[in-house]
Amino acid sequence: MAGLSLRGVSKSFGETKVVHSVDLDIADREFMVFVGPSGCGKSTLLRMIAGLEDITDGEIAIDGRVVNELDPKDRDIAMVFQDYALYPHMTVFENMAFSLRYRGIGRQEIRKRVDQAARILDIEPYIARFPRQLSGGQRQRVAMGRAIVRDPKVFLFDEPLSNLDAKLRVQMRTEIKRLRERVPTTTIYVTHDQVEAMTLADRIVILNHGRIEQIGSPDDVYDRPASLFVAGFIGAPPMNLLPATAVAPDRLPASDRPVSELLLGVRPEHLLWHQGEAAPLLAGRASVVEPLGSDTMVSLDVAGTPVIARLPPRLVRRAGEAVRLSADLSNLHLFDKATGRRL
């Protein structure tokens, strides 16, 4: 088991800088998820940790040992790719045993490790099959088993579920959670899917244009997004953002900003059906109504700003109905529109 640290890690391709001076500490046995949109640098960062990409600047250490100059095979890591990377001419057993044979591990120890991994991942019935005889989910289990048998210091997962259909992705997320309990190895997991990030991570690193926007637990990044980017990226649907006017601008944390540059954030589930004679916080007419059984998603336009509310079922039934909303004031967020940062 091992911790991992990055100090000023950067990556450039020619004149284009794609990762900007990343500093990060990952604790022993922590499950850290890198998440962000396509092109944000998350996979490049993972590949630098693995040794598959050279580092332009900075330092990477695993278990206190700087690994910048080490080949991937010498870093004591195991990587699971999105395309599985299984050898088609080898059986499941042979795929899982290959790296151990390459390292000169004895036959009995190989059998012991492969059998144990197969039990953990529930792939014992398929041990003699070839990859072409397996489903996508079974192939991914084999790829994870191949990583487990190596007993590495760090697991690296590069969007391992992206090639699976939606139902199977949910199932495999559950499997990875179970695997986490059985094999509590330090893990870095890359995904563009915020649901994967929120359900799997001990902590999340949210990346944008090669820079870290926020690091925190799933609750931290959801309840207190550090920037407009995080507020818009985390959450489905994302946080509503509305122009705001400060009643007492001198009491704001950034009182030098004009009041016209403030944005008020509120998540759809924190908008409440307004009752009574008092003026609502927001009012408009429903433009789209999406009944989901347990609740209803209602879209409306408020003074030119689109708003989505997650309301109890059957309060609003069709487009065109009047909608009056109040909000849970303890769950309002204020952002500086110019810098994008939370106030």
Side-chain angles (χ1 to χ4, degrees):
M1 304 300 176
L4 187 145
S5 66
L6 285 69
R7 293 288 175 266
V9 172
S10 300
K11 178 65 179 179
S12 297
F13 294 103
E15 298 298 316
T16 304
K17 200 165 189 177
V18 295
V19 176
H20 301 261
S21 193
V22 168
D23 292 314
L24 181 63
D25 288 301
I26 301 171
D28 180 28
R29 304 191 181 197
E30 184 173 25
F31 197 114
M32 181 74 83
V33 176
F34 295 171
V35 67
S38 297
C40 72
K42 56 188 183 296
S43 288
T44 300
L45 193 57
L46 189 79
R47 291 174 63 82
M48 287 193 286
I49 294 169
L52 301 176
E53 291 280 0
D54 292 332
I55 301 169
T56 303
D57 292 297
E59 181 179 280
I60 296 175
I62 298 174
D63 198 19
R65 179 190 185 193
V66 176
V67 299
N68 289 30
E69 303 302 323
L70 294 183
D71 290 335
K73 64 182 177 61
D74 298 321
R75 297 193 180 196
D76 203 1
I77 55 94
M79 193 162 182
V80 179
F81 299 91
Q82 66 183 45
D83 61 357
Y84 321 132
L86 301 177
Y87 296 110
H89 62 288
M90 293 183 182
T91 65
V92 167
F93 181 92
E94 291 166 341
N95 266 282
M96 293 171 67
F98 180 79
S99 65
L100 300 181
R101 287 175 175 161
Y102 180 80
R103 291 161 59 190
I105 305 296
R107 183 176 300 178
Q108 284 189 324
E109 179 65 17
I110 289 175
R111 169 62 69 177
K112 176 184 173 183
R113 292 195 193 183
V114 172
D115 286 348
Q116 182 181 27
R119 281 196 303 273
I120 290 172
L121 294 164
D122 196 24
I123 53 175
E124 290 174 289
Y126 316 116
I127 204 75
R129 294 187 185 181
F130 291 92
R132 66 178 179 273
Q133 298 171 305
L134 304 176
S135 68
Q138 290 163 350
R139 291 178 196 174
Q140 192 55 272
R141 291 177 194 225
V142 175
M144 289 191 288
R146 186 177 53 190
I148 290 170
V149 298
R150 294 184 56 187
D151 191 24
K153 289 182 177 177
V154 181
F155 284 140
L156 305 178
F157 287 82
D158 188 11
E159 303 208 46
L161 309 186
S162 61
N163 288 339
L164 305 179
D165 62 49
K167 182 178 180 180
L168 195 50
R169 279 203 303 272
V170 173
Q171 179 184 335
M172 288 303 299
R173 281 206 310 268
T174 302
E175 294 298 328
I176 291 173
K177 290 281 279 189
R178 289 175 179 163
L179 176 62
R180 167 77 176 140
E181 298 299 320
R182 297 174 182 175
V183 188
T185 303
T186 307
T187 301
I188 304 173
Y189 186 105
V190 164
T191 181
H192 64 275
D193 186 330
Q194 57 161 302
V195 176
E196 285 180 34
M198 295 290 287
T199 55
L200 293 174
D202 294 324
R203 285 193 299 157
I204 297 173
V205 177
I206 301 172
L207 290 154
N208 182 28
H209 296 304
R211 292 183 171 86
I212 292 178
E213 288 274 343
Q214 187 171 358
I215 304 172
S217 70
D219 286 346
D220 289 338
V221 299
Y222 191 83
D223 294 338
R224 290 188 59 81
S227 67
L228 288 170
F229 175 82
V230 177
F233 187 80
I234 297 294
M239 183 180 289
N240 296 296
L241 296 166
L242 302 106
T245 299
V247 176
D250 58 310
R251 298 180 64 183
L252 288 174
S255 59
D256 57 321
R257 286 290 180 198
V259 295
S260 61
E261 294 187 357
L262 300 180
L263 287 174
L264 182 71
V266 58
R267 292 206 178 275
E269 66 270 25
H270 295 146
L271 288 170
L272 309 173
W273 186 254
H274 183 78
Q275 297 177 327
E277 298 299 321
L281 175 69
L282 302 173
R285 292 195 175 274
S287 56
V288 178
V289 179
E290 300 173 275
L292 302 176
S294 60
D295 49 31
T296 300
M297 302 300 298
V298 179
S299 300
L300 61 153
D301 182 277
V302 178
T305 300
V307 171
I308 299 178
R310 187 185 296 272
L311 299 174
R314 293 177 285 279
L315 282 177
V316 182
R317 292 182 177 272
R318 59 186 62 85
E321 291 186 18
V323 179
R324 290 159 52 89
L325 301 171
S326 58
D328 181 347
L329 299 182
S330 65
N331 287 302
L332 297 182
H333 310 264
L334 197 61
F335 299 92
D336 183 327
K337 186 177 179 180
T339 66
R341 306 309 296 180
R342 181 188 187 89
L343 296 175

